[in-house]
Amino acid sequence: MAEAAIKLGGKKKSIFMDKVKEILPQGNLSLCLTCGLCSSGCPATGLESMDPRKFLRMVALGMDDEILASDWPWCCTMCQRCVRVCPMQIDIPQLIFNIRKARPREDRPKGIRDSCDAAMKTETLSAMGTSVEDFIFVVEDVLEEYQESQPEFADMQAPIDKKGAEFFLNQNSREPVTEPDEMVPLWKILHLAGADWTYGSKAWTGENYCLFIADTDNWEKITRAQAAMTTELGCKTYLNTE
Amino acid sequence: MILSPGTKPYDPSGLDNLGYGKYPNVVTSDGFERILSAGGPYFGHVMRPLDREEPKSIAWLQCVGSRDTNTCGNGYCSSVCCMYAVKEAMIAKEHIHGDLDCVVFNMDMRTFGKDYEKYFLRARDKEGVRFEKARVHTITEDTETGDLNIKYADETGEMKEETFSMVVLSVGMTIPDSAVELAKKLGIDLNHYNFAKSDPFKPVETSKSGIYTCGVFQGPKDIPGSVTEASAAACLAGADLSESRGIDTPVVEVPEQKDIAGDDPRIGVFVCNCGINIGGVVDVPAVQEYAATLPNVVFADSNLFTCSQDTQEKIKEMIIDHNLNRVVVASCSPKTHEAMFMETLEACGLNRYLFEMANIRNQNSWIHSKTPEIATKKAKDLVRMAVARSTTLKPLNEKVITVNQSALVIGGGIAGMNSALNLGKQGFEVVLVEKDDVLGGMSLNLHHTIEGNAVRPYIEQLIEEVNAHEKVEVLTGAKVSAFGGYKGNFTTEVITGQDGEKRSIDHGAIVVATGAKEYKPTEYLYGEDDRVVTQVELGNILEEKGAADLDTVVMIQCVGSRNDEMQECSRICCQNAVKNALHIKKLNPDAQVFVLYRDIRTYGLMEDFYKEARELGVIFMRFDKDAPPEVAAGKDGLSISVKDHIMQQNVSIEADMLVLSAGMRAENTDELSGVMKLNRNPEGYFMEAHVKLRPVDMPGEGIFLCGTAHAPKLISETISQAQAAASRATTFLANSEIKLSAITAKVDVDHCVKCLTCVRSCPFQVPTFNTEEKVLEIDEAMCHGCGVCACVCPRQTIQLSFYEDDQLSCKIDALMAGGI
Ligand SMILES: Cc1cc2nc3c(=O)[nH]c(=O)nc-3n(C[C@H](O)[C@H](O)[C@H](O)COP(=O)(O)OP(=O)(O)OC[C@H]3O[C@@H](n4cnc5c(N)ncnc54)[C@H](O)[C@@H]3O)c2cc1C
Ligand code: SF4
Ligand code: SF4
Ligand code: SF4
Ligand code: SF4
Ligand code: SF4
């Protein structure tokens, strides 16, 4: 084997896992049975020659430099497929989140970071930087087009800021900008179901890149703004499409 | 009261990722047992439920509903599912004569029982069952074929995809709600998984005195363990009641035997339908009619169930009405039913050996179910043969011998002491023979059980009790030097003390409890470097010095076990490593402990301690048998290299101490087994009569076995087995007289040429040459009736009663007479 051996033993050193244990007292990472159930179901297995079990193993063995240097944590989708089946209920996405956070913000992946930053610059919180006016224009324009071309949907509505609607519907930022037609199928379903819904003109964004970049403060800001808009419109249910 | 409400298989319907209940070809292991069974839905033909096609490949998923505190909450290991998965794969391969791919997906293969590792190796290396160290996240179905797709990450982290015809979920054992309710009503304590709470030193006692428990309700276990515990529970309950033993026993009145000497044979034939088992295939009325035409048959009848109580009464009536002096039953197997029919004969004054059976079910209707005509013809042949043989049968008399109602226990460890004490409590005189100068055996080297119970106080109290018991005599520093006799009447010569005083002891039963020892390693610098110790030695160090000076400790598992020299698993060493690792961590939380293992076998409730060890930071690393760790000694420490199974990278650990999980080795009993003629397996452990059904009986009657003399086991398991042996010995000793079987060998000394072939061939060393009288002798009391000598005697001067030569050859003649 060409690789150098991993050095273990000697006097106990404090390792990253000890810190995570303090943050995550409920999920004891060292309980891992190395059974591999997580890796068998993880969409990120094999990426960067890594998988959740192996990653957790590096944490358990105190390979702190390697874990902080690895780009694999940015491959995790936070889907929770691993936690669901793990016999020890080990919260790998939580661990991943803390590892992402442990990197200086400027060293985190630029694409996700820029999306988070863009969201923080507009009231819509759109990662694409879409303004309130552009969003309203696109929604109304697309709606009109479908009402005309598909007579069976002549009555379909796509309300914005409708006070007292039952559902507050959020919207992925990409669609209004790059594929506006993709918004329509859900409108149709809601129309046929007779649902009373609305978009917000502000904070309508569905995604939260600040969560993925492990920017806790901005993640919180986005979530609070989404909740506030829903409350302001008096909607009972927040319909999350992401 | 004995509680044995047993178990309920875990129901996996709640695990939507495995698709049980949704995909027909995903079955549970208990469902698959039914598929394999001759009495199951497909009559033993292995088919998958969806389309009744023979599967081409089957996957087993282990630990479904066990070792999991997340999806099911059952943190324990169910102990049996690894072994039954191996067995199911082997049987499935046997039933499907073409190719069948079998894969068992597992975390650890826990084949820790006696001879289990050999079975596992045979499945893997000879039968090609694949064992994959991986677990499957989700099963999906190919909707067109009904095949099941499985994706898994192998140990290197590579994603693999495979398709199987069927998937078997190896579901664990759970305690049914009804048992929990029962326990509540009775006020006995249950543990956090609802198994009956027990103490390791009182394994079959519940929290309430007078209420005992056994089987899975006590903790997850297999059949041999359950049967053993059942006897143990019976032992303790029986000891409570020993004063009233023998009172109020109904006596069966047997009428005086009819003398049939000189009478012509008058045969009655009873043909059985066995419900539809026989009648559904064989034309039973035709067979009955045919039987009536055979020579000497004066009566023929048929019944729905010949074994029913009503039919016994009917048979008795017919014997009397028709003055029958031979009875033939054409039904099932003599193995299961012969004794019962013989009793029916006895009950109306006919000698029990005037009876013969024709097996027209197991050997006929079951296997020729597709060709009823041929089956009917064969049934007639079998009946004709049985009738011919019955004509040749003679009344035989069973010798009655008295039983010396006392026992000899060999070995004064936990097993020997417990069985002696319990036999004493049952009211029998016992002599306990220990070769060392003190009682206690291996347990004197142990400090705590994994549960944390102190061994020393227990042993001291046990020794005191044994010494104080009026019925138990203890001989220490004693050696068995000669042995003779037969069941119920043994004589053993024992040499005691320095002056070699000889003493002859008469006894009716024997309990063998000679124990086992720790293997003395020759590997990993043991004996060369004093930083390398065994688990037992580590136990002493921790007790005496603590763990304050330990920074890093490495443990290596399976030392002297599961290798080419000793194939078997030693069962105790995984829990020993976990126990000591926990002890270190509790004494010194900063000490780092690494356990290098092959499979972690903390079966049953001990899985909790494995979990606790991981929780406290003990690191477990798996290595392959072919790539064992390497150890180098340096001035400041030891350096241990091994490949981490997950990183797939070499790891080098600097350690202050290396602890070898040295396995168990049977006590050297060459001399003892030579003197007493007791059979041992190649590993030196004594053999039981039947692995599942008679786990504490030895093949010779009146001889019982317990403790590590039988196989590696824990103290708690040793105690229940010792109680079981005492119970079985009690059953034997409780009768002052026993009847011997009349089926024994007899030698015609006039024609014997003294070639001694029989002496060499008898598996029980019964035939002996009397050098004074110059004749060959076969002791009826010792003969097992196996017939080996009768077969090998070149002069055919040995006859086995009930199976004399003409009593067998007449059957062949009768078969030929029918033409083929
Ligand atoms: C290395 C090791 C570690 C273990 N760790 C644990 C543990 O952590 N927890 C646990 O529960 N159990 C453990 N055990 C198992 C435990 O020691 C046994 O279950 C128990 O001690 C067996 O008792 P025994 O009476 O069958 O055998 P033994 O204790 O071996 O006693 C047998 C006795 O028979 C005597 N004897 C042998 N031959 C003759 C003869 N020919 N004539 C007269 N006397 C004879 C011997 O001198 C001995 O005194 C361990 C065992 C070993 C070997
Ligand atoms: S949460 Fe992350 S680690 Fe877990 S399965 Fe999803 S992608 Fe894999
Ligand atoms: S599923 Fe859980 S226990 Fe199994 S390897 Fe993954 S993290 Fe470890
Ligand atoms: S490890 Fe234990 S629970 Fe898992 S399959 Fe094997 S015996 Fe059953
Ligand atoms: S260490 Fe002992 S108990 Fe564990 S697998 Fe090896 S031989 Fe079996
Ligand atoms: S019948 Fe069997 S046990 Fe009896 S003497 Fe012959 S060989 Fe031995």
Side-chain angles (χ1 to χ4, degrees):
Chain A
M1 183 163 282
E3 273 172 300
I6 303 164
K7 294 254 180 282
L8 299 171
K11 270 214 183 312
K12 179 165 170 54
K13 300 175 246 334
S14 176
I15 58 170
F16 185 79
M17 187 164 74
D18 304 327
K19 274 185 256 163
V20 181
K21 262 190 196 164
E22 283 162 26
I23 317 166
L24 287 177
Q26 76 280 21
N28 189 337
L29 301 175
S30 57
L31 276 179
C32 176
L33 283 156
T34 67
C35 72
L37 256 169
C38 51
S39 302
S40 293
C42 170
T45 290
L47 302 177
E48 303 281 328
S49 308
M50 193 46 66
D51 57 84
R53 166 175 54 178
K54 200 167 182 180
F55 196 77
L56 187 59
R57 188 68 172 173
M58 295 205 293
V59 175
L61 295 182
M63 298 167 71
D64 292 2
D65 296 343
E66 288 88 342
I67 35 179
L68 295 174
S70 169
D71 283 336
W72 188 78
W74 305 101
C75 301
C76 167
T77 64
M78 302 272 154
C79 67
Q80 311 247 348
R81 277 172 65 88
C82 51
V83 197
R84 176 108 192 271
V85 297
C86 169
M88 296 291 121
Q89 208 175 1
I90 293 175
D91 200 337
I92 292 178
Q94 273 267 28
L95 162 73
I96 299 288
F97 184 83
N98 282 286
I99 285 170
R100 289 179 183 179
K101 226 167 74 172
R103 248 199 217 189
R105 198 175 192 280
E106 62 275 17
D107 294 342
R108 301 181 198 169
K110 186 166 178 310
I112 317 176
R113 201 178 66 217
D114 288 350
S115 296
C116 170
D117 291 345
M120 297 317 296
K121 285 193 186 113
T122 103
E123 280 178 308
T124 64
L125 302 175
S126 154
M128 304 287 286
T130 310
S131 68
V132 172
E133 299 72 33
D134 286 353
F135 180 60
I136 294 172
F137 173 79
V138 173
V139 170
E140 284 175 354
D141 189 46
V142 173
L143 179 69
E144 205 172 309
E145 189 189 319
Y146 276 81
Q147 283 170 335
E148 280 165 20
S149 64
Q150 298 183 1
E152 66 274 33
F153 287 105
D155 305 337
M156 185 167 71
Q157 295 297 318
I160 296 177
D161 291 342
K162 178 179 169 193
K163 288 238 179 225
E166 171 81 18
F167 300 105
F168 181 97
L169 183 72
N170 70 14
Q171 173 61 56
N172 177 299
S173 299
R174 192 168 291 273
E175 283 157 9
V177 181
T178 56
E179 311 203 54
D181 289 333
E182 290 294 304
M183 297 190 290
V184 184
L186 186 54
W187 299 351
K188 288 183 173 173
I189 291 171
L190 291 168
H191 171 70
L192 292 173
D196 177 17
W197 69 278
T198 182
Y199 279 132
S201 59
K202 290 179 284 177
W204 47 260
T205 182
E207 76 287 325
N208 190 333
Y209 282 98
C210 301
L211 152 76
F212 288 106
I213 202 76
D215 178 343
T216 325
D217 292 343
N218 286 328
W219 169 19
E220 186 179 338
K221 273 187 201 151
I222 292 182
T223 308
R224 285 198 183 282
Q226 288 164 332
M229 188 70 204
T230 313
T231 315
E232 193 186 313
L233 293 178
C235 300
K236 290 201 188 68
T237 310
Y238 184 84
L239 266 189
N240 186 15
T241 57
E242 266 298 284
Chain B
M1 180 181 280
I2 298 174
L3 287 186
S4 52
T7 178
K8 194 177 88 191
Y10 172 74
D11 175 5
S13 338
L15 307 175
D16 53 3
N17 52 321
L18 300 180
Y20 176 73
K22 189 161 129 211
Y23 308 140
N25 293 333
V26 176
V27 300
T28 59
S29 43
D30 49 312
F32 193 67
E33 291 279 337
R34 297 299 303 147
I35 291 180
L36 291 175
S37 165
Y42 314 140
F43 304 102
H45 190 102
V46 184
M47 298 191 284
R48 54 184 211 168
L50 176 70
D51 44 17
R52 309 288 152 94
E53 288 285 323
E54 217 172 59
K56 292 186 187 62
S57 54
I58 308 178
W60 277 261
L61 307 193
Q62 296 308 101
C63 302
V64 175
S66 307
R67 301 180 68 187
D68 182 336
T69 48
N70 178 16
T71 63
C72 65
N74 301 335
Y76 53 87
C77 158
S78 291
S79 296
V80 297
C81 10
C82 279
M83 195 56 190
Y84 74 53
V86 180
K87 178 205 72 178
E88 287 178 357
M90 294 279 266
I91 298 180
K93 272 182 171 277
E94 214 175 272
H95 284 208
I96 294 180
H97 299 290
D99 286 336
L100 175 71
D101 286 334
C102 295
V103 187
V104 181
F105 291 91
N106 68 91
M107 298 193 258
D108 299 284
M109 280 312 290
R110 293 190 167 171
T111 46
F112 53 83
K114 187 178 189 179
D115 289 336
Y116 288 5
E117 187 76 4
K118 277 186 247 171
Y119 189 76
F120 160 67
L121 292 174
R122 191 163 68 150
R124 192 190 66 185
D125 302 336
K126 296 224 168 69
E127 305 300 330
V129 178
R130 216 173 90 213
F131 294 88
E132 193 70 56
K133 283 266 176 282
R135 298 199 68 189
V136 174
H137 185 284
T138 303
I139 299 173
T140 54
E141 189 191 48
D142 180 327
T143 44
E144 255 163 53
T145 59
D147 287 345
L148 302 158
N149 298 320
I150 275 179
K151 276 195 210 155
Y152 63 92
D154 71 9
E155 233 176 19
T156 69
E158 195 185 324
M159 280 306 284
K160 299 261 173 75
E161 198 169 348
E162 287 186 56
T163 302
F164 292 92
S165 315
M166 274 184 89
V167 173
V168 180
L169 306 179
S170 293
V171 293
M173 311 207 258
T174 63
I175 297 300
D177 294 343
S178 57
V180 176
E181 255 167 57
L182 179 65
K184 265 195 207 131
K185 270 189 208 143
L186 295 171
I188 66 158
D189 295 344
L190 302 180
N191 71 14
H192 54 297
Y193 296 125
N194 285 338
F195 294 99
K197 215 179 221 165
S198 64
D199 179 309
F201 301 136
K202 295 175 179 170
V204 297
E205 293 170 53
T206 67
S207 58
K208 214 165 191 168
S209 90
I211 303 187
Y212 305 100
T213 179
C214 56
V216 179
F217 189 52
Q218 194 269 2
K221 64 180 60 69
D222 60 4
I223 294 175
S226 299
V227 173
T228 301
E229 274 183 3
S231 289
C235 171
L236 300 193
D240 295 348
L241 306 171
S242 66
E243 273 178 29
S244 48
R245 188 174 51 234
I247 309 175
D248 254 3
T249 313
V251 182
V252 182
E253 294 288 346
V254 180
E256 209 178 317
Q257 237 178 62
K258 250 190 335 203
D259 182 11
I260 63 152
D263 294 355
D264 284 338
R266 293 181 59 80
I267 305 172
V269 180
F270 299 86
V271 186
C272 191
N273 279 285
C274 193
I276 56 160
N277 267 296
I278 299 169
V281 177
V282 173
D283 182 349
V284 169
V287 178
Q288 180 194 338
E289 229 168 84
Y290 173 75
T293 67
L294 292 167
N296 301 316
V297 173
V298 294
F299 177 77
D301 197 2
S302 63
N303 304 285
L304 187 60
F305 290 106
T306 313
C307 57
S308 73
Q309 198 51 48
D310 297 352
T311 314
Q312 301 322 295
E313 294 308 317
K314 205 167 114 192
I315 295 177
K316 281 181 206 164
E317 254 172 60
M318 295 306 119
I319 291 176
I320 294 163
D321 287 2
H322 297 271
N323 195 21
L324 303 177
N325 58 19
R326 304 284 192 289
V327 172
V328 171
V329 172
S331 60
C332 51
S333 168
K335 244 190 165 163
T336 51
H337 285 73
E338 186 179 63
M340 187 201 73
F341 291 125
M342 284 177 152
E343 267 169 35
T344 303
L345 267 66
E346 256 177 350
C348 46
L350 210 52
N351 183 281
R352 60 191 282 130
Y353 293 93
L354 297 169
F355 175 75
E356 170 66 351
M357 273 178 99
N359 189 342
I360 59 167
R361 187 186 70 181
N362 312 39
Q363 296 175 359
N364 187 28
S365 64
W366 277 355
I367 43 176
H368 304 300
S369 57
K370 295 206 176 88
T371 49
E373 268 168 44
I374 294 176
T376 301
K377 189 165 174 285
K378 179 166 167 185
K380 289 179 183 171
D381 289 344
L382 289 168
V383 169
R384 185 174 66 250
M385 291 159 72
V387 166
R389 171 168 145 83
S390 75
T391 313
T392 65
L393 295 176
K394 298 177 249 183
L396 299 172
N397 288 318
E398 294 174 330
K399 198 169 157 183
V400 175
I401 54 165
T402 57
V403 172
N404 180 328
Q405 291 171 296
S406 66
L408 178 78
V409 176
I410 305 167
I414 289 188
M417 286 193 285
N418 270 294
S419 55
L421 192 59
N422 279 293
L423 277 164
K425 286 183 185 167
Q426 300 273 7
F428 300 107
E429 302 281 339
V430 187
V431 179
L432 174 64
V433 179
E434 165 58 53
K435 74 171 167 43
D436 288 351
D437 294 332
V438 288
L439 294 174
M442 179 68 206
S443 63
L444 296 175
N445 305 314
L446 303 175
H447 301 282
H448 294 99
T449 66
I450 196 166
E451 298 86 359
N453 299 53
V455 176
R456 191 41 82 95
Y458 167 73
I459 285 298
E460 280 167 4
Q461 200 201 328
L462 182 62
I463 294 177
E464 211 180 286
E465 258 185 90
V466 168
N467 279 326
H469 202 285
E470 52 174 17
K471 296 271 183 187
V472 183
E473 185 188 357
V474 177
L475 301 178
T476 48
K479 199 178 119 190
V480 170
S481 51
F483 173 75
Y486 45 86
K487 61 179 171 189
N489 296 278
F490 298 109
T491 303
T492 302
E493 184 189 81
V494 174
I495 302 183
T496 55
Q498 257 128 20
D499 42 357
E501 192 191 323
K502 274 192 188 160
R503 183 158 148 207
S504 177
I505 303 163
D506 292 329
H507 53 102
I510 305 168
V511 176
V512 178
T514 50
K517 296 196 146 46
E518 190 180 36
Y519 164 70
K520 281 274 155 279
T522 53
E523 44 277 84
Y524 302 119
L525 304 183
Y526 184 81
E528 289 167 44
D529 191 308
D530 53 16
R531 293 166 296 189
V532 182
V533 299
T534 65
Q535 290 290 1
V536 169
E537 287 159 356
L538 171 65
N540 292 333
I541 294 170
L542 294 177
E543 210 62 32
E544 284 157 22
K545 293 205 317 208
D549 57 341
L550 296 174
D551 288 330
T552 298
V553 176
V554 173
M555 299 181 177
I556 302 181
Q557 298 306 100
C558 303
V559 175
S561 309
R562 302 182 66 196
N563 58 23
D564 297 337
E565 184 203 338
M566 169 60 73
Q567 284 194 337
E568 285 298 298
C569 164
S570 289
R571 187 173 181 138
I572 47 96
C573 16
C574 275
Q575 65 85 37
N576 219 342
V578 167
K579 176 180 80 177
N580 284 338
L582 280 172
H583 197 177
I584 294 174
K585 278 289 195 185
K586 281 175 186 165
L587 291 169
N588 175 6
D590 279 342
Q592 305 181 85
V593 184
F594 296 85
V595 179
L596 315 183
Y597 72 98
R598 289 173 51 199
D599 291 277
I600 284 291
R601 292 182 168 171
T602 43
Y603 56 92
L605 301 171
M606 293 189 295
E607 184 72 8
D608 275 355
F609 298 103
Y610 175 35
K611 183 179 175 198
E612 189 183 349
R614 297 194 312 277
E615 198 160 18
L616 296 183
V618 177
I619 300 269
F620 291 82
M621 273 181 197
R622 202 180 69 73
F623 65 91
D624 282 328
K625 174 170 170 273
D626 303 330
E630 282 170 25
V631 179
K635 223 165 41 24
D636 302 324
L638 298 158
S639 168
I640 296 104
S641 321
V642 71
K643 188 165 104 180
D644 181 69
H645 61 304
I646 302 303
M647 296 313 300
Q648 291 288 310
Q649 207 176 327
N650 275 348
V651 172
S652 145
I653 311 171
E654 295 304 316
D656 317 307
M657 192 189 272
L658 173 64
V659 187
L660 306 182
S661 285
M664 229 187 243
R665 284 287 195 277
E667 172 75 37
N668 182 347
T669 51
D670 292 347
E671 202 183 328
L672 182 76
S673 63
V675 172
M676 299 188 89
K677 309 206 168 49
L678 301 170
N679 289 339
R680 294 170 301 168
N681 70 8
E683 287 78 29
Y685 294 106
F686 287 102
M687 298 218 283
E688 61 275 51
H690 188 287
V691 177
K692 283 189 181 161
L693 305 178
R694 294 172 65 199
V696 299
D697 296 22
M698 290 192 70
E701 268 183 89
I703 310 177
F704 307 92
L705 173 62
C706 59
T708 47
H710 159 265
K713 59 180 62 69
L714 296 169
I715 291 176
S716 52
E717 296 161 335
T718 291
I719 294 171
S720 58
Q721 207 185 14
Q723 293 166 339
S727 171
R728 297 291 299 151
T730 296
T731 305
F732 182 79
L733 293 176
N735 299 307
S736 55
E737 292 182 335
I738 44 171
K739 255 191 197 167
L740 301 178
S741 162
I743 304 174
T744 54
K746 296 190 179 47
V747 59
D748 169 5
V749 287
D750 295 339
H751 292 94
C752 169
V753 292
K754 307 176 178 67
C755 66
L756 307 189
T757 309
C758 55
V759 176
R760 291 189 298 273
S761 308
C762 172
F764 306 97
Q765 284 103 353
V766 179
T768 46
F769 188 66
N770 183 331
T771 43
E772 275 162 34
E773 312 262 332
K774 305 255 183 304
V775 286
L776 196 102
E777 286 173 350
I778 293 178
D779 190 330
E780 246 187 289
M782 289 163 77
C783 172
H784 290 229
C786 71
V788 165
C789 56
C791 298
V792 296
C793 175
R795 294 296 299 257
Q796 291 162 353
T797 65
I798 301 179
Q799 292 289 344
L800 188 67
S801 311
F802 200 54
Y803 297 104
E804 290 175 11
D805 292 354
D806 64 329
Q807 292 174 335
L808 294 173
S809 57
C810 68
K811 291 188 91 167
I812 303 171
D813 294 340
L815 173 65
M816 294 310 186
I820 291 186

